[in-house]
Amino acid sequence: MIRFEHVTKRYADGTTAVDDLSFEVAEGELVTLVGPSGCGKTTTMKMVNRLIEPTSGQIYLDGSDISTVDPVELRRRIGYVIQQVGLFPHKTVLDNTATVPHLLGWQRKKARARAAELLDLVGLDPSVFGDRYPDQLSGGQRQRVGVARALAADPPVLLMDEPFGAVDPVVREHLQNEFLRLQSQVHKTVLFVTHDIEEAVRLGDRIAVYGEGRIEQFDPPTAVLGAPATPYVADFVGADRGLKRLSVTPIEPGDLVQPPIVHLDDPLPDAAARLAVDDPEARWAVVLDDAEHLHGWVSADALAGGGTVRDHSRRMAAWLPVGASLKQAFSTMLQHDAGWIAVLDGEHADHFLGVLTPARLHEALRRSIDADAKGGAREDVELETVSEA
Ligand SMILES: Nc1ncnc2c1ncn2[C@@H]1O[C@H](COP(=O)(O)OP(=O)(O)OP(=O)(O)O)[C@@H](O)[C@H]1O
Ligand SMILES: [Mg+2]
Protein backbone atom coordinates (compact mmCIF):
# COMPACT_ATOMS: atom_id res chain seq x y z
CA MET A 1 0.00 0.00 0.00
CA ILE A 2 2.84 2.39 0.93
CA ARG A 3 6.30 1.70 -0.45
CA PHE A 4 9.51 3.66 0.10
CA GLU A 5 12.32 2.99 -2.36
CA HIS A 6 15.72 4.44 -1.50
CA VAL A 7 14.24 7.64 -0.18
CA THR A 8 16.65 10.32 1.05
CA LYS A 9 15.78 13.75 2.39
CA ARG A 10 18.48 16.34 2.77
CA TYR A 11 17.38 19.76 3.99
CA ALA A 12 18.82 22.96 2.52
CA ASP A 13 21.27 23.37 5.41
CA GLY A 14 22.79 19.95 4.68
CA THR A 15 21.00 17.97 7.41
CA THR A 16 20.27 14.45 6.20
CA ALA A 17 16.98 13.73 7.94
CA VAL A 18 16.24 10.46 6.14
CA ASP A 19 18.95 8.39 4.54
CA ASP A 20 18.23 5.83 1.79
CA LEU A 21 15.04 4.52 3.37
CA SER A 22 13.28 1.48 1.86
CA PHE A 23 10.28 -0.26 3.38
CA GLU A 24 6.78 -1.37 2.58
CA VAL A 25 3.53 -1.19 4.54
CA ALA A 26 0.78 -3.63 3.60
CA GLU A 27 -2.85 -2.65 3.18
CA GLY A 28 -4.61 -2.59 6.56
CA GLU A 29 -1.34 -2.77 8.45
CA LEU A 30 -0.51 -0.50 11.39
CA VAL A 31 3.18 0.32 11.45
CA THR A 32 4.63 2.34 14.29
CA LEU A 33 7.72 4.46 13.68
CA VAL A 34 9.66 4.81 16.89
CA GLY A 35 12.95 6.48 17.66
CA PRO A 36 14.60 9.37 19.48
CA SER A 37 13.93 13.03 18.74
CA GLY A 38 15.33 14.22 15.44
CA CYS A 39 15.78 10.80 13.84
CA GLY A 40 13.54 11.59 10.87
CA LYS A 41 10.10 10.23 11.80
CA THR A 42 8.08 13.35 11.00
CA THR A 43 10.08 13.89 7.82
CA THR A 44 9.17 10.33 6.74
CA MET A 45 5.47 10.98 7.32
CA LYS A 46 5.35 14.33 5.60
CA MET A 47 6.91 12.87 2.49
CA VAL A 48 3.94 10.50 2.20
CA ASN A 49 1.42 13.34 1.84
CA ARG A 50 3.93 15.56 0.00
CA LEU A 51 4.18 18.22 2.66
CA ILE A 52 7.89 17.54 2.13
CA GLU A 53 9.47 16.36 -1.14
CA PRO A 54 12.26 13.77 -1.02
CA THR A 55 15.70 14.72 -2.33
CA SER A 56 15.94 11.37 -4.08
CA GLY A 57 14.09 8.06 -4.25
CA GLN A 58 10.45 7.14 -4.86
CA ILE A 59 7.38 6.69 -2.72
CA TYR A 60 4.48 4.63 -4.03
CA LEU A 61 0.92 4.71 -2.78
CA ASP A 62 -1.26 1.88 -3.98
CA GLY A 63 1.16 1.28 -6.84
CA SER A 64 1.46 4.84 -8.15
CA ASP A 65 4.49 7.06 -7.73
CA ILE A 66 3.16 9.89 -5.58
CA SER A 67 5.40 12.47 -7.27
CA THR A 68 3.08 12.11 -10.26
CA VAL A 69 -0.11 12.58 -8.19
CA ASP A 70 -1.58 16.02 -7.56
CA PRO A 71 -0.87 16.79 -3.88
CA VAL A 72 -4.43 17.92 -3.17
CA GLU A 73 -5.81 14.77 -4.75
CA LEU A 74 -3.24 12.74 -2.81
CA ARG A 75 -4.15 14.24 0.57
CA ARG A 76 -7.79 13.36 0.10
CA ARG A 77 -6.73 9.74 0.33
CA ILE A 78 -4.63 10.31 3.43
CA GLY A 79 -5.94 11.27 6.86
CA TYR A 80 -3.43 13.20 8.96
CA VAL A 81 -3.46 13.48 12.75
CA ILE A 82 -0.85 15.49 14.64
CA GLN A 83 -0.06 16.09 18.28
CA GLN A 84 -1.26 19.68 18.32
CA VAL A 85 -4.49 18.44 16.71
CA GLY A 86 -5.00 21.72 14.85
CA LEU A 87 -8.75 22.00 15.37
CA PHE A 88 -10.34 25.24 14.20
CA PRO A 89 -11.08 27.12 17.45
CA HIS A 90 -14.05 29.05 16.02
CA LYS A 91 -15.79 25.96 14.65
CA THR A 92 -17.86 23.50 16.67
CA VAL A 93 -16.70 19.93 17.18
CA LEU A 94 -19.21 18.73 14.60
CA ASP A 95 -18.10 21.27 12.00
CA ASN A 96 -14.45 20.52 12.68
CA THR A 97 -15.11 16.85 12.07
CA ALA A 98 -17.00 17.62 8.87
CA THR A 99 -14.17 19.75 7.47
CA VAL A 100 -12.89 17.34 4.84
CA PRO A 101 -16.28 16.11 3.58
CA HIS A 102 -17.15 19.82 3.22
CA LEU A 103 -14.02 20.47 1.21
CA LEU A 104 -14.90 17.48 -0.93
CA GLY A 105 -18.20 19.18 -1.74
CA TRP A 106 -20.53 16.90 0.17
CA GLN A 107 -23.93 18.35 0.97
CA ARG A 108 -24.03 19.97 4.40
CA LYS A 109 -26.54 17.50 5.78
CA LYS A 110 -24.63 14.47 4.58
CA ALA A 111 -21.33 15.87 5.85
CA ARG A 112 -22.80 16.55 9.28
CA ALA A 113 -24.38 13.12 9.48
CA ARG A 114 -21.04 11.56 8.62
CA ALA A 115 -19.32 13.72 11.25
CA ALA A 116 -21.80 12.62 13.91
CA GLU A 117 -21.23 9.00 12.99
CA LEU A 118 -17.46 9.45 13.32
CA LEU A 119 -17.72 11.22 16.68
CA ASP A 120 -19.76 8.32 17.92
CA LEU A 121 -17.13 5.91 16.63
CA VAL A 122 -14.36 7.65 18.62
CA GLY A 123 -16.47 7.60 21.77
CA LEU A 124 -17.84 11.16 21.81
CA ASP A 125 -21.62 11.42 21.91
CA PRO A 126 -22.42 13.95 19.14
CA SER A 127 -25.50 15.19 21.00
CA VAL A 128 -23.28 16.11 23.97
CA PHE A 129 -20.07 17.24 22.27
CA GLY A 130 -21.13 18.17 18.73
CA ASP A 131 -21.98 21.79 19.48
CA ARG A 132 -19.05 22.49 21.78
CA TYR A 133 -15.97 24.41 20.73
CA PRO A 134 -12.49 22.88 20.98
CA ASP A 135 -11.56 24.90 24.08
CA GLN A 136 -14.51 23.29 25.87
CA LEU A 137 -12.94 19.84 25.58
CA SER A 138 -10.24 18.00 27.51
CA GLY A 139 -6.94 17.21 25.79
CA GLY A 140 -7.94 13.59 25.26
CA GLN A 141 -11.31 14.59 23.80
CA ARG A 142 -9.65 17.03 21.40
CA GLN A 143 -7.36 14.26 20.31
CA ARG A 144 -10.36 12.06 19.54
CA VAL A 145 -11.93 14.81 17.47
CA GLY A 146 -8.64 14.95 15.55
CA VAL A 147 -8.89 11.21 14.83
CA ALA A 148 -12.58 11.52 13.85
CA ARG A 149 -11.76 14.38 11.50
CA ALA A 150 -8.95 12.43 9.86
CA LEU A 151 -11.33 9.51 9.28
CA ALA A 152 -14.26 11.59 8.04
CA ALA A 153 -13.65 11.22 4.32
CA ASP A 154 -12.84 7.54 4.81
CA PRO A 155 -9.28 7.72 3.48
CA PRO A 156 -7.53 4.37 3.06
CA VAL A 157 -4.36 5.71 4.69
CA LEU A 158 -3.82 7.42 8.04
CA LEU A 159 -0.69 9.25 9.10
CA MET A 160 -0.54 9.85 12.83
CA ASP A 161 2.33 11.90 14.22
CA GLU A 162 2.49 11.46 18.01
CA PRO A 163 -1.28 11.86 18.20
CA PHE A 164 -1.42 10.90 21.88
CA GLY A 165 1.83 12.56 22.89
CA ALA A 166 0.29 15.46 24.78
CA VAL A 167 -2.07 13.57 27.09
CA ASP A 168 -1.31 12.01 30.45
CA PRO A 169 -0.40 8.31 30.62
CA VAL A 170 -3.80 7.11 31.84
CA VAL A 171 -5.74 8.94 29.15
CA ARG A 172 -3.15 7.85 26.64
CA GLU A 173 -3.64 4.18 27.42
CA HIS A 174 -7.36 4.70 27.09
CA LEU A 175 -6.96 6.39 23.71
CA GLN A 176 -4.64 3.63 22.56
CA ASN A 177 -7.20 0.97 23.44
CA GLU A 178 -9.94 2.90 21.71
CA PHE A 179 -7.78 3.37 18.69
CA LEU A 180 -7.04 -0.36 18.49
CA ARG A 181 -10.75 -1.11 18.71
CA LEU A 182 -11.44 1.46 16.02
CA GLN A 183 -8.71 0.09 13.77
CA SER A 184 -10.16 -3.41 14.09
CA GLN A 185 -13.32 -1.96 12.53
CA VAL A 186 -11.90 0.38 9.89
CA HIS A 187 -8.71 -1.47 8.84
CA LYS A 188 -6.83 1.57 7.64
CA THR A 189 -3.23 1.45 6.50
CA VAL A 190 -1.57 3.42 9.29
CA LEU A 191 1.82 4.98 9.85
CA PHE A 192 1.96 5.96 13.51
CA VAL A 193 4.87 7.97 14.90
CA THR A 194 5.80 7.82 18.56
CA HIS A 195 8.95 8.13 20.60
CA ASP A 196 7.47 5.84 23.24
CA ILE A 197 8.52 2.22 22.74
CA GLU A 198 5.62 1.01 24.94
CA GLU A 199 3.16 2.71 22.63
CA ALA A 200 4.93 1.35 19.56
CA VAL A 201 4.75 -2.17 20.99
CA ARG A 202 1.11 -1.95 21.99
CA LEU A 203 -0.19 -0.57 18.73
CA GLY A 204 2.05 -1.79 15.96
CA ASP A 205 1.53 -4.84 13.78
CA ARG A 206 5.14 -4.06 12.96
CA ILE A 207 7.56 -1.53 14.38
CA ALA A 208 10.15 0.45 12.48
CA VAL A 209 12.88 1.36 14.97
CA TYR A 210 14.71 4.45 13.73
CA GLY A 211 18.31 5.32 14.32
CA GLU A 212 19.64 8.52 12.76
CA GLY A 213 17.70 8.76 9.51
CA ARG A 214 17.74 4.99 9.08
CA ILE A 215 15.60 2.04 10.09
CA GLU A 216 17.57 -0.24 12.38
CA GLN A 217 14.89 -2.92 12.61
CA PHE A 218 11.49 -3.43 11.02
CA ASP A 219 9.70 -6.35 12.66
CA PRO A 220 6.66 -7.38 14.71
CA PRO A 221 6.77 -6.22 18.36
CA THR A 222 7.66 -9.64 19.74
CA ALA A 223 10.70 -9.83 17.46
CA VAL A 224 11.87 -6.32 18.29
CA LEU A 225 11.62 -7.09 22.01
CA GLY A 226 12.80 -10.68 21.79
CA ALA A 227 15.54 -10.42 19.22
CA PRO A 228 16.80 -6.85 18.84
CA ALA A 229 18.66 -6.66 15.52
CA THR A 230 21.42 -4.34 16.72
CA PRO A 231 22.89 -3.17 20.03
CA TYR A 232 21.24 0.19 19.31
CA VAL A 233 17.79 -1.43 19.20
CA ALA A 234 18.51 -3.47 22.32
CA ASP A 235 19.46 -0.27 24.10
CA PHE A 236 16.41 1.56 22.80
CA VAL A 237 13.89 -1.09 23.84
CA GLY A 238 15.54 -1.20 27.25
CA ALA A 239 16.67 -3.72 29.80
CA ASP A 240 13.10 -4.41 30.90
CA ARG A 241 12.05 -5.69 27.51
CA GLY A 242 11.02 -8.99 29.10
CA LEU A 243 8.40 -7.04 31.01
CA LYS A 244 7.29 -5.09 27.95
CA ARG A 245 7.03 -8.34 26.11
CA LEU A 246 4.38 -9.57 28.54
CA SER A 247 1.95 -7.17 26.94
CA VAL A 248 2.40 -8.57 23.43
CA THR A 249 2.61 -12.27 24.25
CA PRO A 250 -0.79 -13.97 24.19
CA ILE A 251 -1.92 -16.81 26.45
CA GLU A 252 -2.02 -19.95 24.31
CA PRO A 253 -3.88 -23.19 25.12
CA GLY A 254 -0.54 -25.00 25.37
CA ASP A 255 0.46 -22.81 28.32
CA LEU A 256 -2.34 -24.10 30.51
CA VAL A 257 -2.38 -26.60 33.34
CA GLN A 258 -5.33 -29.02 33.58
CA PRO A 259 -6.49 -29.27 37.21
CA PRO A 260 -9.10 -31.83 38.28
CA ILE A 261 -12.60 -30.71 37.33
CA VAL A 262 -15.80 -31.26 39.32
CA HIS A 263 -19.34 -30.05 38.73
CA LEU A 264 -21.62 -27.99 40.95
CA ASP A 265 -24.15 -30.75 41.51
CA ASP A 266 -21.68 -33.59 42.05
CA PRO A 267 -22.20 -35.24 45.45
CA LEU A 268 -19.09 -34.63 47.54
CA PRO A 269 -18.03 -38.31 47.73
CA ASP A 270 -18.08 -38.48 43.89
CA ALA A 271 -16.01 -35.30 43.67
CA ALA A 272 -13.53 -36.64 46.22
CA ALA A 273 -13.24 -39.87 44.22
CA ARG A 274 -12.64 -37.86 41.03
CA LEU A 275 -9.78 -35.99 42.68
CA ALA A 276 -8.26 -39.20 43.97
CA VAL A 277 -8.21 -40.57 40.41
CA ASP A 278 -7.23 -37.43 38.50
CA ASP A 279 -4.59 -36.13 40.85
CA PRO A 280 -4.25 -37.41 44.40
CA GLU A 281 -1.90 -34.51 45.17
CA ALA A 282 -4.36 -31.81 44.07
CA ARG A 283 -5.39 -29.45 46.83
CA TRP A 284 -8.27 -27.97 44.87
CA ALA A 285 -10.44 -28.55 41.83
CA VAL A 286 -12.09 -26.28 39.30
CA VAL A 287 -15.89 -26.18 39.56
CA LEU A 288 -17.98 -25.97 36.39
CA ASP A 289 -21.73 -25.68 36.01
CA ASP A 290 -23.95 -27.93 33.85
CA ALA A 291 -23.11 -25.93 30.74
CA GLU A 292 -19.38 -26.46 31.38
CA HIS A 293 -18.99 -22.78 32.27
CA LEU A 294 -16.64 -21.72 35.00
CA HIS A 295 -18.25 -21.36 38.39
CA GLY A 296 -15.26 -21.32 40.72
CA TRP A 297 -13.16 -23.70 42.71
CA VAL A 298 -13.40 -26.00 45.69
CA SER A 299 -10.69 -26.96 48.14
CA ALA A 300 -9.82 -30.66 48.40
CA ASP A 301 -10.25 -30.48 52.18
CA ALA A 302 -13.86 -29.39 51.76
CA LEU A 303 -14.76 -32.58 49.88
CA ALA A 304 -14.66 -34.77 52.98
CA GLY A 305 -18.24 -34.29 54.22
CA GLY A 306 -21.71 -34.73 52.74
CA GLY A 307 -23.83 -32.61 50.40
CA THR A 308 -22.78 -31.39 46.97
CA VAL A 309 -19.90 -29.40 45.57
CA ARG A 310 -22.25 -26.42 45.34
CA ASP A 311 -22.31 -26.10 49.16
CA HIS A 312 -18.57 -25.66 49.40
CA SER A 313 -17.45 -24.09 46.14
CA ARG A 314 -16.27 -20.52 45.87
CA ARG A 315 -16.71 -18.15 42.96
CA MET A 316 -13.69 -17.40 40.85
CA ALA A 317 -13.49 -13.92 39.35
CA ALA A 318 -9.92 -14.20 38.12
CA TRP A 319 -10.37 -15.36 34.54
CA LEU A 320 -9.40 -14.24 31.06
CA PRO A 321 -10.16 -15.32 27.51
CA VAL A 322 -7.45 -17.28 25.72
CA GLY A 323 -5.42 -14.87 23.60
CA ALA A 324 -5.37 -12.20 26.31
CA SER A 325 -1.85 -11.02 27.05
CA LEU A 326 0.44 -12.44 29.69
CA LYS A 327 0.52 -8.95 31.14
CA GLN A 328 -3.25 -9.04 31.63
CA ALA A 329 -2.83 -12.45 33.20
CA PHE A 330 -0.22 -11.17 35.60
CA SER A 331 -2.22 -8.11 36.55
CA THR A 332 -5.39 -10.21 36.99
CA MET A 333 -3.51 -12.48 39.38
CA LEU A 334 -2.33 -9.49 41.38
CA GLN A 335 -5.71 -7.80 41.35
CA HIS A 336 -7.49 -10.87 42.72
CA ASP A 337 -4.55 -11.98 44.83
CA ALA A 338 -4.93 -15.34 43.08
CA GLY A 339 -2.32 -18.07 42.68
CA TRP A 340 -3.80 -18.98 39.30
CA ILE A 341 -6.31 -17.69 36.80
CA ALA A 342 -8.88 -19.58 34.75
CA VAL A 343 -8.61 -19.31 30.98
CA LEU A 344 -11.79 -19.52 28.92
CA ASP A 345 -12.29 -19.87 25.21
CA GLY A 346 -14.18 -16.60 24.67
CA GLU A 347 -14.91 -13.10 25.90
CA HIS A 348 -18.27 -14.17 27.30
CA ALA A 349 -17.26 -16.68 29.94
CA ASP A 350 -17.50 -19.57 27.53
CA HIS A 351 -15.87 -22.93 27.92
CA PHE A 352 -13.18 -23.54 30.46
CA LEU A 353 -9.84 -24.39 28.87
CA GLY A 354 -7.45 -24.68 31.79
CA VAL A 355 -5.60 -22.57 34.29
CA LEU A 356 -2.51 -20.42 34.06
CA THR A 357 -0.14 -20.52 37.01
CA PRO A 358 2.73 -18.11 37.69
CA ALA A 359 5.22 -20.84 36.75
CA ARG A 360 3.47 -21.44 33.43
CA LEU A 361 3.30 -17.72 32.77
CA HIS A 362 7.03 -17.42 33.24
CA GLU A 363 7.58 -20.44 31.03
CA ALA A 364 5.36 -19.02 28.26
CA LEU A 365 7.35 -15.81 28.33
CA ARG A 366 10.68 -17.61 28.09
CA ARG A 367 9.40 -19.82 25.28
CA SER A 368 8.26 -16.85 23.29
CA ILE A 369 11.60 -15.08 23.74
CA ASP A 370 13.50 -18.19 22.69
CA ALA A 371 11.19 -18.81 19.74
CA ASP A 372 11.90 -15.34 18.37
CA ALA A 373 15.62 -15.61 18.96
CA LYS A 374 15.71 -18.93 17.10
CA GLY A 375 13.03 -18.08 14.57
CA GLY A 376 10.76 -21.02 15.42
CA ALA A 377 7.31 -21.50 16.88
CA ARG A 378 6.73 -21.06 20.59
CA GLU A 379 5.47 -24.59 21.22
CA ASP A 380 8.62 -26.08 19.63
CA VAL A 381 10.94 -24.51 22.17
CA GLU A 382 12.49 -26.89 24.67
CA LEU A 383 13.34 -25.09 27.88
CA GLU A 384 16.39 -26.24 29.75
CA THR A 385 14.89 -25.86 33.18
CA VAL A 386 11.18 -25.98 33.70
CA SER A 387 9.84 -25.62 37.18
CA GLU A 388 6.34 -26.94 37.74
CA ALA A 389 4.03 -25.26 40.19
N1 LIG B 1 13.06 22.35 7.62
C1 LIG B 1 14.17 21.80 8.10
N2 LIG B 1 15.39 22.28 7.83
C2 LIG B 1 16.51 21.70 8.30
N3 LIG B 1 16.53 20.63 9.09
C3 LIG B 1 15.34 20.10 9.42
C4 LIG B 1 14.09 20.64 8.98
N4 LIG B 1 13.09 19.91 9.48
C5 LIG B 1 13.68 18.95 10.22
N5 LIG B 1 15.01 19.06 10.19
C6 LIG B 1 16.00 18.19 10.84
O1 LIG B 1 15.85 16.88 10.31
C7 LIG B 1 16.02 15.91 11.33
C8 LIG B 1 14.79 15.05 11.42
O2 LIG B 1 13.67 15.83 11.84
P1 LIG B 1 12.24 15.20 12.10
O3 LIG B 1 11.31 16.31 12.39
O4 LIG B 1 11.91 14.30 10.98
O5 LIG B 1 12.53 14.37 13.42
P2 LIG B 1 11.55 13.50 14.33
O6 LIG B 1 12.08 12.12 14.34
O7 LIG B 1 10.16 13.70 13.93
O8 LIG B 1 11.81 14.13 15.77
P3 LIG B 1 10.79 14.42 17.01
O9 LIG B 1 10.65 13.11 17.73
O10 LIG B 1 11.54 15.41 17.83
O11 LIG B 1 9.52 14.95 16.45
C9 LIG B 1 16.34 16.69 12.60
O12 LIG B 1 17.73 16.74 12.77
C10 LIG B 1 15.78 18.07 12.32
O13 LIG B 1 16.51 19.06 13.02
MG1 LIG C 1 8.48 14.61 14.85
Side-chain angles (χ1 to χ4, degrees), residues 34-37 194-197 200 209-210 224 230-240 244:
V34 66
S37 185
T194 175
H195 56 249
D196 176 5
I197 181 74
V209 184
Y210 272 63
V224 171
T230 64
Y232 171 89
V233 176
D235 192 45
F236 190 75
V237 299
D240 63 342
K244 294 194 180 91

Side-chain angles (χ1 to χ4, degrees), residues 26 40 52 74 76 99 225 299 306 317 319 359 381:
I52 294 177
L74 180 71
R76 281 182 189 162
T99 304
L225 294 175
S299 128
W319 61 268
V381 173

Side-chain angles (χ1 to χ4, degrees), residues 11 13 15 17 35-43 162 195:
Y11 286 108
D13 65 356
T15 308
S37 185
C39 67
K41 305 179 299 289
T42 295
T43 303
E162 305 210 32
H195 56 249

Side-chain angles (χ1 to χ4, degrees), residues 32-335:
T32 47
L33 312 182
V34 66
S37 185
C39 67
K41 305 179 299 289
T42 295
T43 303
T44 302
M45 297 278 251
K46 286 185 169 173
M47 289 192 291
V48 177
N49 60 10
R50 295 192 65 184
L51 290 173
I52 294 177
E53 298 291 345
T55 311
S56 62
Q58 273 78 43
I59 301 168
Y60 296 87
L61 185 75
D62 219 1
S64 40
D65 181 343
I66 62 166
S67 68
T68 66
V69 181
D70 172 46
V72 175
E73 166 61 27
L74 180 71
R75 283 171 209 149
R76 281 182 189 162
R77 287 150 60 193
I78 302 175
Y80 189 37
V81 190
I82 54 173
Q83 182 174 326
Q84 303 80 357
V85 195
L87 298 179
F88 302 113
H90 57 283
K91 281 189 176 185
T92 65
V93 163
L94 198 68
D95 286 334
N96 262 290
T97 310
T99 304
V100 182
H102 254 139
L103 289 176
L104 294 178
W106 293 23
Q107 283 184 345
R108 185 176 159 83
K109 208 171 152 196
K110 186 179 163 207
R112 289 173 67 90
R114 172 70 179 158
E117 188 184 313
L118 260 309
L119 286 174
D120 217 25
L121 197 63
V122 298
L124 292 176
D125 181 347
S127 69
V128 176
F129 295 99
D131 293 331
R132 290 203 196 168
Y133 289 88
D135 67 358
Q136 297 169 320
L137 300 178
S138 72
Q141 288 164 345
R142 275 199 292 273
Q143 219 51 68
R144 285 183 226 180
V145 177
V147 173
R149 187 177 61 179
L151 286 170
D154 206 18
V157 173
L158 271 188
L159 304 179
M160 306 181 78
D161 196 345
E162 305 210 32
F164 310 144
V167 292
D168 70 68
V170 176
V171 175
R172 185 190 302 191
E173 187 164 341
H174 195 67
L175 289 173
Q176 288 167 349
N177 288 337
E178 281 182 355
F179 182 66
L180 282 176
R181 183 182 50 75
L182 188 65
Q183 169 66 358
S184 73
Q185 296 170 30
V186 297
H187 303 293
K188 300 297 177 189
T189 304
V190 186
L191 275 183
F192 189 110
V193 164
T194 175
H195 56 249
D196 176 5
I197 181 74
E198 304 261 6
E199 182 163 80
V201 161
R202 288 192 69 186
L203 298 182
D205 296 317
R206 284 189 298 161
I207 305 177
V209 184
Y210 272 63
E212 295 240 316
R214 302 182 38 228
I215 293 180
E216 297 269 335
Q217 185 166 9
F218 193 12
D219 272 324
T222 54
V224 171
L225 294 175
T230 64
Y232 171 89
V233 176
D235 192 45
F236 190 75
V237 299
D240 63 342
R241 61 179 209 261
L243 270 179
K244 294 194 180 91
R245 203 187 164 89
L246 283 174
S247 65
V248 290
T249 307
I251 303 170
E252 292 178 355
D255 300 328
L256 306 179
V257 180
Q258 298 303 329
I261 289 172
V262 297
H263 288 85
L264 268 180
D265 294 319
D266 289 348
L268 283 189
D270 292 1
R274 165 73 46 77
L275 242 67
V277 172
D278 284 356
D279 181 0
E281 307 270 288
R283 301 201 319 275
W284 52 273
V286 165
V287 179
L288 304 182
D289 65 16
D290 284 347
E292 304 295 318
H293 291 167
L294 177 71
H295 177 85
W297 62 282
V298 65
S299 128
D301 298 338
L303 300 180
T308 65
V309 168
R310 188 184 294 275
D311 307 327
H312 297 279
S313 70
R314 306 209 210 154
R315 293 305 295 232
M316 181 66 181
W319 61 268
L320 284 173
V322 70
S325 70
L326 296 181
K327 182 177 172 188
Q328 283 174 290
F330 190 43
S331 90
T332 303
M333 274 179 205
L334 293 177
Q335 183 193 342

Side-chain angles (χ1 to χ4, degrees), residues 308-386:
T308 65
V309 168
R310 188 184 294 275
D311 307 327
H312 297 279
S313 70
R314 306 209 210 154
R315 293 305 295 232
M316 181 66 181
W319 61 268
L320 284 173
V322 70
S325 70
L326 296 181
K327 182 177 172 188
Q328 283 174 290
F330 190 43
S331 90
T332 303
M333 274 179 205
L334 293 177
Q335 183 193 342
H336 294 278
D337 195 17
W340 53 277
I341 59 162
V343 177
L344 311 177
D345 77 353
E347 291 275 342
H348 306 291
D350 291 323
H351 282 91
F352 171 79
L353 293 178
V355 309
L356 189 70
T357 60
R360 286 298 183 96
L361 189 154
H362 182 217
E363 207 181 293
L365 183 66
R366 290 180 53 209
R367 268 182 211 290
S368 108
I369 290 171
D370 276 17
D372 272 329
K374 294 178 185 140
R378 187 162 131 199
E379 57 271 23
D380 297 335
V381 173
E382 296 263 353
L383 293 179
E384 273 173 20
T385 56
V386 176

